[in-house]
Amino acid sequence: MKNYIHEIHNCKEKAIIRKDYDVLVIGGGMSGLCAAIASARQGAGTAIVQDRSVFGGNASSEMKMHISGASCHWGKKDAAETGILMELQLENKYLNDSYNYSIWDGVLWSAAMDCENLDVYMNTTMDMVDSDGSCIHCVQCYQMTTENRYEFGAKVFVDATGNGTLGYFAGAEYKIGREAAAEYGEQDAPEQADGETMGNTIYFVAEDVGHPVKFVKPGWAYTFTEEDFVHRYHGDIVVYHNADDVVVLKPGEDYRDHEDELVEKYDVKSGYWWIELGGDWDDIIKQSEDIRYELYRTVYGVWDHIKNGGDHGAENYELTWVGNLGGMRESRRLMGDYVLTEQDILSNRVFEDAVAYGGWPMDEHVAAGFRAKGQIPSRVRSFKGLYSIPYGCFCSRTVKNLMMAGRNISASKLAMGSTRVMGTCAVGGEAVGVAAAGAALSGLTPSEYGRLHRKELQQKLLKNDLYVPGCKNEDEDDKARLAKLSATSQQSGYEVENLISGVTRREGDQSNLWMSKGIREGGEAVVLELKEPSSISQVRLVFDPDLSEERCISVSRAFMEKEPRGVAKTLVKDYRVEALFGGKTVACRDVRDNHQRLNVVEFDEAVMVDAVRITFWSTNGCENVQMYEVRIY
């Protein structure tokens, strides 16, 4: 043993591997993954550092949380997030219609690995940051599986760690806990500031095995009685949250009828979000391992109560999975050029520099979580409509080359209760990735890029199928905007001219959608006659997957029962794009078995055209062809 120790002590120190990028993303949850892919697609040399073996964060197989967003799970119409997030979700619906989280992990992993200009470092932890407090120079990371130590330099760094760890190590300004009401004039903030946050949750999964199964409580697990579960429903029951309480729905009452309310179905199969701890501990980050141990003891105690503490309909249920990592809702928030507030959300504010949006209620979980015996576990502040998130929320106000993506963006505690959900984080992350690439490639700081190229950035986001409230397509390079349109058929309110309305979802009474009258033999067709002959190489099409439907993977029976199976029926399946000149076809592309909303059809080389014809042969089950936009480049 002495010789072995001596040998180790005298080993030559392994060299640090230096890598430099335009954009470096730390964190591989949904926001970080979307940011990295978006940056790479803009042509920036990008790397993503993820300390886990899977992507997705709370949405991965490690924690199995479904992705919530502005739609509030069927509560708000036409509100689903698009862009890279929808691309990933639609790919998953095509490959994985039985909610297998391992396949979902693979969808996320392959999206990163197959992305040009993106280097992937998994099982890699950032543990050192070289910063002078106003600029990050580089970071050091250790890859557990290879024993490699890396030093990464970048022009722009993106903190998608959730905890704001990169910003914290770099000396960026941050906040944690509740602000006093006077700080931002928020009516629902407390009179005095404190360190209370929302807590962490560990999910479980149980299965009905068709025969009675016993459960013996481990000696280290807690014991609970029914008194511990007041306001914490733990049977097969549907509830919705109003502003002050939870309300149980009557038998047969459809929870889709409760618009703008947070609706949940409690069942003994998919765990409970209210198994939550840590929000009132001294330091939710430094004590996260202790919180995790307490959550284990609590989860198994809850399951013991369900199995052995009375009739909960769980006699045939067996516990098949318990998460190994606590899902964290809240910790540090990095302060940016703008701080989103409660007033911004409740007023549905549309910012001039908007780059993302949200619609989830401002829910504020009681800090003590499950230990808040007899208290309502969450106060939900619902509101109608959507709000925008300005660019300034994603740029650090103190570290000039740092951007934020995810739940750590610049928002008050109350506003973060809405912006923290993964759907909102993902579209914000994609916007950050596009902006970070633009800043890095133009030699500007993120704040400078936002000031000088705001409209250009917003147009890039729209082109990549993100929704930006208050913005529409004004891309001067898009030849379709000035084209004359015709269609073989159209329905009232869904005219073909909607294809160049500039908006790719319903807004109020405006559908912004073209819809055919059925599909005739030989197919339905749209023709765009260009204002003048032009050289083109690309046609971009945005189809309709039904933005009022859910498509997220989940262990919740509520989602499994309500989500449509398979590829969205409203999506076009088979079609042809023809480039025309003088009535003759000069280039042609056929697309078969489409299952995506955004389709980018490329020709082998640029061709001179005076018109484009698109012929639609079939959908994935809908009797009409439905499409939001055509762009021609």
Side-chain angles (χ1 to χ4, degrees), residues 602-624:
E602 304 270 5
F603 298 121
D604 291 336
E605 58 185 17
V607 291
M608 186 64 65
V609 306
D610 57 18
V612 170
R613 179 170 58 218
I614 311 165
T615 304
F616 307 94
W617 295 311
S618 65
T619 69
N620 282 281
C622 184
E623 62 183 9
N624 306 306

Side-chain angles (χ1 to χ4, degrees), residues 237-292:
I237 197 167
V238 178
V239 305
Y240 74 93
H241 294 253
N242 60 26
D244 302 308
D245 202 351
V246 291
V247 179
V248 179
L249 299 190
K250 298 176 182 178
E253 192 173 359
D254 191 341
Y255 54 77
R256 296 194 199 195
D257 295 335
H258 295 272
E259 189 171 357
D260 295 337
E261 302 289 355
L262 179 59
V263 183
E264 297 164 285
K265 183 164 185 176
Y266 295 85
D267 64 78
V268 295
K269 182 176 181 178
S270 57
Y272 305 104
W273 61 265
W274 45 255
I275 303 178
E276 177 179 2
L277 295 173
D280 61 344
W281 288 39
D282 292 336
D283 191 323
I284 197 169
I285 297 174
K286 302 300 183 186
Q287 295 175 287
S288 62
E289 284 299 298
D290 293 332
I291 294 169
R292 184 164 70 99

Side-chain angles (χ1 to χ4, degrees), residues 438-454:
L441 295 175
S442 58
L444 300 171
T445 68
S447 291
E448 290 171 339
Y449 182 77
R451 288 196 301 271
L452 296 174
H453 298 282
R454 171 179 62 82

Side-chain angles (χ1 to χ4, degrees), residues 28 35 45 81 117 169 176 180-181 232 275 290 333 347-348 358 402 483 516 538 558 560 601:
E81 292 80 11
N117 301 318
F169 285 176
I176 190 167
R232 288 161 177 81
I275 303 178
D290 293 332
R333 307 184 307 280
S347 66
N348 290 174
L402 174 65
S516 71
Q538 181 187 98
M560 289 187 281
V601 179

Side-chain angles (χ1 to χ4, degrees), residues 340-590:
L340 194 73
T341 67
E342 176 186 29
Q343 301 93 301
D344 297 327
I345 289 176
L346 294 180
S347 66
N348 290 174
R349 184 171 177 182
V350 176
F351 291 88
E352 186 178 44
D353 63 339
V355 292
Y357 75 100
W360 186 257
M362 286 184 291
D363 61 331
E364 184 179 10
H365 295 205
V366 61
F370 187 69
R371 290 180 176 173
K373 189 173 179 178
Q375 295 184 41
I376 296 170
S378 177
R379 182 181 180 188
V380 177
R381 298 174 177 91
S382 298
F383 56 91
K384 293 186 180 297
L386 309 175
Y387 60 88
S388 68
I389 306 176
Y391 183 71
C393 290
F394 300 100
C395 300
S396 170
R397 68 168 62 157
T398 54
V399 180
K400 61 184 180 182
N401 63 341
L402 174 65
M403 300 190 76
M404 301 86 78
R407 61 180 170 85
N408 60 7
I409 68 169
S410 184
S412 72
K413 151 76 174 179
L414 285 171
M416 189 280 305
S418 175
T419 63
R420 69 180 178 86
V421 293
M422 287 184 280
T424 305
C425 290
V427 293
E430 183 171 354
V432 165
V434 173
L441 295 175
S442 58
L444 300 171
T445 68
S447 291
E448 290 171 339
Y449 182 77
R451 288 196 301 271
L452 296 174
H453 298 282
R454 171 179 62 82
K455 290 187 176 180
E456 176 187 339
L457 171 60
Q458 290 171 329
Q459 290 300 310
K460 286 181 180 180
L461 300 179
L462 294 177
K463 184 177 181 181
N464 287 287
D465 196 29
L466 285 175
Y467 177 58
V468 182
C471 296
K472 66 178 184 178
N473 177 20
E474 296 176 348
D475 188 348
E476 294 182 357
D477 293 330
D478 175 15
K479 305 297 190 299
R481 291 178 60 240
L482 302 178
K484 179 181 178 182
L485 281 73
S486 60
T488 49
S489 69
Q490 61 186 22
Q491 297 189 33
S492 177
Y494 301 92
E495 290 78 13
V496 70
E497 287 77 17
N498 286 336
L499 293 175
I500 54 173
S501 69
V503 180
T504 56
R505 66 179 62 206
R506 174 179 287 277
E507 286 187 330
D509 295 332
Q510 181 59 43
S511 72
N512 296 308
L513 180 73
W514 167 65
M515 185 186 301
S516 71
K517 291 182 178 179
I519 303 176
R520 68 188 64 195
E521 186 177 353
E524 295 292 319
V526 168
V527 177
L528 296 92
E529 299 178 35
L530 304 190
K531 184 177 181 181
E532 57 187 19
S534 303
S535 176
I536 71 164
S537 60
Q538 181 187 98
V539 177
R540 302 172 77 92
L541 310 173
V542 177
F543 297 119
D544 175 24
D546 191 344
L547 299 182
S548 296
E549 272 294 355
E550 287 290 335
R551 55 193 54 81
C552 65
I553 187 169
S554 177
V555 296
S556 169
R557 195 161 69 196
F559 288 93
M560 289 187 281
E561 289 176 352
K562 291 292 184 180
E563 272 197 34
R565 289 289 187 176
V567 177
K569 293 181 179 180
T570 50
L571 284 173
V572 167
K573 183 178 182 181
D574 301 315
Y575 66 94
R576 169 176 291 171
V577 177
E578 296 174 273
L580 307 176
F581 191 80
K584 296 182 178 180
T585 300
V586 294
C588 180
R589 280 286 178 269
D590 287 353

Side-chain angles (χ1 to χ4, degrees), residues 61 64 92 96-106 553-554:
S61 62
K64 299 189 177 182
N92 188 59
N96 181 26
D97 208 27
S98 58
Y99 300 92
N100 185 313
Y101 266 89
S102 293
I103 296 177
W104 168 242
D105 285 343
I553 187 169
S554 177

